[in-house]
């Protein structure tokens, strides 16, 4: 199996330092393995989307020297594939319609389990659709963080794969597209570690392969909080990419030469010295 990695940003703002770390980290892993690196724009959540940010992220990446091997995939153009996956799940009895509101669920303990709705069916409103989650333990070996296990029924219960407004969830779209793009290795931030068991369960329901996973440390600020896209503390400027690129490499424990270097040489140096086994093994750390 050849290596196929990917970077899958959501267009909810300009490229920020946390995304740059995920982009550079996944690119280094793919290139180190002699594999391909793909790009997927996860633009299937219009309410969360910030106008212009998909274009701005795509325009920024080449300045940091990380160019995808094939044309980017846009999830907004993949709705027919999500419809087909949804139909497959529905035909197999894996999903059920649900009219429960957040507050009704919160009052009933917060987690939707065993297909048991608290709200009655309401023919005047469209339902959300949830995936049945049985009482099983999902296990996987994170390439960096080691063995992981999660009892999905306990931790998340039956989860939404299509919202009442008709939008498909990140979990469904991600699983369908990782399979469609032939992704063998998912390298992404640790904020998504707790999505992985859900994605593995969905892969089993859809009978598609499970890739390997590696979750990079999350970029935290000096107080230990996740850097958000709105955080201006660590700006990423494609017009002057070197400071952020050097900082992203240092964050990933990749040796950064003292000497001034342009982006292509800096990345070549990083790749020559890159060893995935030396990536920091923690769920998050602060920017140096
Ligand atoms: N689109 C997700 C994000 O920007 C990442 C998805 C993934 O890498 O699986 O947080």
């Amino acid at each position: 199996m050849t290596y196929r990695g990917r970077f899958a940003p959501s267009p909810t703002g300009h490229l920020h330092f946390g995304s740059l770390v995920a982009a550079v980290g996944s690119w280094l892993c793919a290139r180190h393995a002699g594999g391909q690196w793909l790009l997927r724009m996860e633009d299937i959540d219009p309410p969360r989307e910030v106008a212009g940010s998909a274009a701005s992220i795509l325009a920024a990446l080449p300045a940091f020297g990380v160019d995808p091997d094939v044309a980017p995939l846009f999830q907004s153009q993949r709705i027919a594939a999500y419809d087909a996956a949804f139909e497959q799940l529905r035909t197999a009895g894996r999903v059920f319609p649900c009219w429960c509101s957040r507050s009704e669920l919160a009052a009933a303990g917060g987690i939707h389990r065993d297909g048991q709705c608290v709200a009655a069916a309401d023919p005047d409103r469209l339902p959300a659709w949830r995936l049945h989650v049985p009482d099983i333990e999902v296990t996987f070996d994170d390439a960096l963080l080691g063995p992981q296990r999660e009892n999905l029924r306990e931790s998340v219960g039956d989860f939404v794969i299509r919202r009442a407004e008709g939008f498909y969830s990140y979990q469904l779209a991600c699983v369908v597209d990782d399979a469609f793009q032939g992704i063998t290795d998912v390298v992404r931030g640790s904020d998504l570690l707790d999505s992985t068991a859900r994605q593995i369960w969905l892969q089993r329901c859809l009978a598609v392969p499970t890739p390997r996973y590696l979750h990079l440390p999350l970029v935290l600020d000096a107080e230990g909080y996740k850097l958000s896209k709105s955080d201006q503390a660590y700006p990423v400027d494609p017009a002057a990419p070197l400071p952020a690129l050097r900082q992203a490499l240092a964050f990933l424990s990749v040796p950064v030469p003292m000497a001034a270097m342009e982006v292509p040489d800096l990345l070549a140096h990083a790749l020559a010295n890159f060893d995935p086994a030396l990536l920091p093994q923690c769920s998050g750390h602060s920017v140096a």
Side-chain angles (χ1 to χ4, degrees):
M1 185 161 61
T2 51
Y3 186 115
R4 282 194 135 200
R6 56 37 161 209
F7 173 54
S10 301
T12 52
H14 295 298
L15 188 72
H16 63 107
F17 186 70
S19 322
L20 181 65
V21 166
V24 171
S26 60
W27 183 90
L28 281 170
C29 289
R31 291 291 182 256
H32 177 78
Q36 289 186 312
W37 188 71
L38 282 67
L39 190 60
R40 179 166 80 230
M41 188 52 67
E42 300 210 316
D43 55 348
I44 42 147
D45 194 349
R48 282 187 61 223
E49 195 161 330
V50 173
S53 56
S56 125
I57 293 170
L58 292 178
L61 288 169
F64 296 94
V66 289
D67 261 329
D69 293 312
V70 297
L73 184 72
F74 288 81
Q75 290 195 323
S76 55
Q77 291 166 20
R78 297 268 305 142
I79 306 301
Y82 311 143
D83 285 341
F86 176 74
E87 268 321 299
Q88 185 184 337
L89 294 170
R90 207 174 57 87
T91 309
R94 298 277 195 185
V95 292
F96 61 95
C98 170
W99 283 265
C100 302
S101 67
R102 270 174 209 273
S103 51
E104 284 166 328
L105 268 181
I111 294 187
H112 200 298
R113 290 202 181 99
D114 307 325
Q116 299 290 325
C117 285
V118 281
D122 177 353
D124 296 330
R125 273 191 306 132
L126 285 172
W129 287 80
R130 290 181 185 270
L131 187 71
H132 283 290
V133 168
D135 189 10
I136 52 150
E137 203 131 74
V138 175
T139 59
F140 64 99
D141 271 327
D142 186 275
L144 199 55
L145 303 174
Q148 309 288 317
R149 62 175 52 239
E150 184 172 343
N151 182 313
L152 271 184
R153 181 184 175 276
E154 293 310 311
S155 55
V156 288
D158 310 320
F159 58 92
V160 172
I161 60 156
R162 193 167 98 171
R163 307 210 300 259
E165 312 93 293
F167 300 127
Y168 286 105
S169 72
Y170 154 66
Q171 310 294 357
L172 182 88
C174 180
V175 163
V176 169
D177 286 341
D178 279 339
F180 175 69
Q181 292 184 290
I183 301 303
T184 61
D185 291 76
V186 171
V187 175
R188 60 187 177 191
S190 291
D191 51 336
L192 293 160
L193 184 63
D194 68 357
S195 282
T196 305
R198 268 173 276 182
Q199 293 178 7
I200 291 173
W201 174 241
L202 255 173
Q203 287 151 3
R204 291 184 194 162
C205 294
L206 289 167
V208 296
T210 292
R212 289 176 289 252
Y213 288 94
L214 186 160
H215 290 88
L216 298 166
L218 203 58
V219 183
L220 306 176
D221 65 16
E223 275 81 50
Y225 294 107
K226 180 186 166 186
L227 280 195
S228 73
K229 290 190 188 180
S230 55
D231 194 318
Q232 294 308 305
Y234 300 95
V236 163
D237 180 2
L242 282 166
L245 184 57
R246 293 178 76 95
Q247 204 170 18
L249 292 169
F251 181 86
L252 292 167
S253 302
V254 181
V256 181
M258 296 294 283
M261 272 186 186
E262 290 305 316
V263 169
D265 291 340
L266 183 57
L267 276 182
H269 180 277
L271 193 52
N273 289 281
F274 180 68
D275 179 355
L278 300 180
L279 284 164
Q281 286 169 326
C282 57
S283 55
H285 72 88
S286 300
V287 188

